[in-house]
Amino acid sequence: MTMNGAAAAAGRPAQRLAARLPGVLLGCAGALAAIAVWSLASHALQGGGVLNRLPGPLAVLRELARYVEGDFARDLVSSLRVFAIGWVLGVVAATLIGLVLGRSALAGAVFLPVVEAIRPVSSIAWVPLSIVWFGFGLGSKVFLVGLAVFLVVIVYAVDGCSRVPTDLERTASMLGMRRLQRFRHLILPSTLIEVLIGSRVALMAGWGTVIVAELVAADSGLGAHLIGVEQSYDVPAVMAAMISFGLSGFVMNALFTRLERHIVPWRRDATEDAP
Amino acid sequence: MMALGHAVGRRVLLPLVGVVIVLAIWQATVAIYRLPLIVLPPPWTVATTLADLVGTRAFWRDVGVSLYEFVAGYAIGTTLGVATGLAMGESRRFRQALTPVIESLRFIVPFAWIPLTILWFGTSYAGKIMLVAYAVYFVMTVSTARAIAHVDPTLTRVGTMLGMRPLRLALRVHLPAAMPTIASAARAAAAIGWIAVVAAEYIGASAGLGLMITNAASSLATGVVIAGMIVIGLIGAGVSAAILAIARAQPSAR
């Protein structure tokens, strides 16, 4: 597959298009088939009653358009603000602590097992505790997102700063680099690159956490909107809100992947196998 | 002998020191700031709360409900996911046709489905089972398809030369060859699925660990909340270990 891709990329644009056309057409056919199945299922399930269980694609699209025209921007900004603050705090904390744990053998041996023991407890499990601690406001959500991001990035940070080759460090010190210089020019770049990759991987974990935190706390943001329309049994609006979630996650991921390819082009492998 | 002692010291003693330091900081924070029990109970109180909890029947019912929802959803999601992934890995056409749909659904994280599953299934088990199956399905589909596509082509050639038909080739050659990758995806999927159950139980459930800790949080029984988090973490780790054990047992059996 990779080889095909490389061969196609080497060809002229027209050839490239011709080679990819069948695949694109098949993809469109698949998407159309999925939409057709959805429409048929919604017709079959149209039972009347209070709850319109499965609205058709058009109804959902209409609802999505209405939401985008209405409160979507406000909710998105509110969610993004929580997400951005938490994400930055999580990345910074993970980088600092990762540097300490990765560079000091003793600190690593003492505290890394503790970090490893906490890691499997997903940040989602912290939701009730965080609400007890920080209430329903911004604080608890920022804490949860920060925690989710931290737990992912810490692994990358420790890995990045402990995997500077020993030979390289010895050479640098032999050539007369001071401790601070070595840190600045060897260890820090190696760490930051891994942190960058980790913080992209953490995007989805953090975004998922924002959703759960807002579903539970439900005071503002996309998650609160989702709970609001759920409580009024408005299935088309619920599905539209889900789609808006998916789209925002997709856009963020695409932007960051592009940025990462620009900054660390040699780590293509890492960019590709993110979940 | 020296080296062995050193290794034991590094692997056991130092982590123990880490745990003790963390517990000491926890205890000291509670003592110095005189935190009330509803904010942060000391470690020992959490331990006794956990011990009391384990003795009650309601606790085991919650564990049972959560585990049942997880196992049922996980079994459905893994089976369907591996089947879809296998088909996508075997047939280029099928992969091209399905990729846009899979990719666009994959970006709607499972948690966003929680309100819809409540509208569809109420607070019953079925909603959580569907949610777990959904969460697991996409992880398994994508990783299986990728693993099958990366199977060593030599194996395919050998199989074809031996006169294997495509279906047999897929099931007897490609699937076993892709097994290590699929197994590690299965562990990642289990972690996601387990936490999806907990999250779904926060929002609408009649029983389960997620409901237990949200109820405890709203009655400010912080000790129970933390004890519940520990249980959730332990079960998650246990599930992961169980899947690893099953995956390791697989190749030796054949």
Side-chain angles (χ1 to χ4, degrees), chain B residues 119-202:
Chain B
L119 285 184
W120 279 352
F121 302 103
T123 55
S124 68
Y125 303 152
K128 279 101 198 163
I129 293 174
M130 189 208 124
L131 193 75
V132 178
Y134 175 89
V136 170
Y137 176 79
F138 287 101
V139 178
M140 294 315 291
T141 303
V142 173
S143 335
T144 308
R146 193 176 293 161
I148 297 282
H150 281 94
V151 167
D152 187 356
T154 318
L155 288 178
T156 315
R157 272 184 235 127
V158 171
T160 327
M161 208 175 69
L162 291 175
M164 287 176 121
R165 288 166 179 283
L167 185 65
R168 205 173 142 78
L169 192 67
L171 291 179
R172 303 302 293 269
V173 177
H174 291 167
L175 200 57
M179 227 8 150
T181 318
I182 296 176
S184 64
R187 284 180 75 196
I192 298 170
W194 173 240
I195 212 61
V197 168
V198 174
E201 286 169 353
Y202 289 159

Side-chain angles (χ1 to χ4, degrees), chain A:
Chain A
M1 230 187 102
T2 342
M3 277 187 32
N4 280 348
R12 282 200 301 273
Q15 276 177 324
R16 200 163 63 190
L17 197 70
R20 287 180 60 178
L21 196 60
V24 172
L25 283 179
L26 269 173
C28 292
L32 281 178
I35 291 173
V37 170
W38 177 5
S39 310
L40 284 177
S42 80
H43 269 286
L45 290 175
Q46 211 64 265
V50 199
L51 191 59
N52 176 2
R53 284 193 185 258
L54 183 63
L58 270 180
V60 172
L61 206 64
R62 242 191 332 262
E63 205 57 51
L64 185 63
R66 211 169 69 187
Y67 183 40
V68 169
E69 278 172 11
D71 293 338
F72 175 68
R74 193 198 63 195
D75 291 345
L76 183 67
V77 167
S78 166
S79 292
L80 277 183
R81 192 171 60 131
V82 171
F83 176 74
I85 301 175
W87 187 69
V88 169
L89 289 179
V91 169
V92 170
T95 310
L96 294 178
I97 295 178
L99 274 172
V100 174
L101 298 189
R103 291 308 299 176
S104 150
L106 184 66
V110 172
F111 289 110
L112 274 182
V114 179
V115 173
E116 277 308 313
I118 299 176
R119 263 171 48 78
V121 187
S122 158
S123 60
I124 307 292
W126 288 75
V127 170
L129 188 62
S130 141
I131 288 173
V132 171
W133 282 351
F134 302 102
F136 282 105
L138 187 72
S140 65
K141 287 183 253 179
V142 166
F143 170 76
L144 288 168
V145 177
L147 185 70
V149 173
F150 175 83
L151 293 178
V152 174
V153 177
I154 184 87
V155 177
Y156 287 82
V158 169
D159 188 43
C161 67
S162 55
R163 90 159 163 210
V164 177
T166 327
D167 286 349
L168 203 61
E169 262 188 86
R170 287 204 192 120
T171 315
S173 64
M174 200 181 71
L175 290 176
M177 275 173 112
R178 285 164 189 285
R179 246 184 110 82
L180 201 66
Q181 279 179 316
R182 284 209 302 271
F183 177 76
R184 166 77 186 73
H185 294 285
L186 274 181
I187 298 158
L188 201 59
S190 163
T191 310
L192 288 184
I193 283 166
E194 288 299 315
V195 165
L196 184 77
I197 293 166
S199 40
R200 212 282 321 275
V201 174
L203 272 184
M204 277 335 216
W207 192 233
T209 308
V210 171
I211 297 177
V212 177
E214 286 177 349
L215 288 178
V216 176
D219 56 348
S220 66
L222 291 172
H225 170 79
L226 186 50
I227 279 291
V229 288
E230 185 247 333
Q231 278 162 357
S232 54
Y233 297 99
D234 189 348
V235 183
V238 167
M239 294 179 86
M242 287 163 61
I243 293 173
S244 66
F245 257 134
L247 284 178
S248 359
F250 174 77
V251 169
M252 273 197 294
N253 196 50
L255 285 179
F256 218 82
T257 308
R258 188 153 283 206
L259 182 75
E260 190 179 297
R261 284 202 180 143
H262 187 69
I263 303 178
V264 278
W266 64 93
R267 285 297 301 264
R268 244 208 145 106
D269 50 329
T271 353
E272 269 166 16
D273 55 43

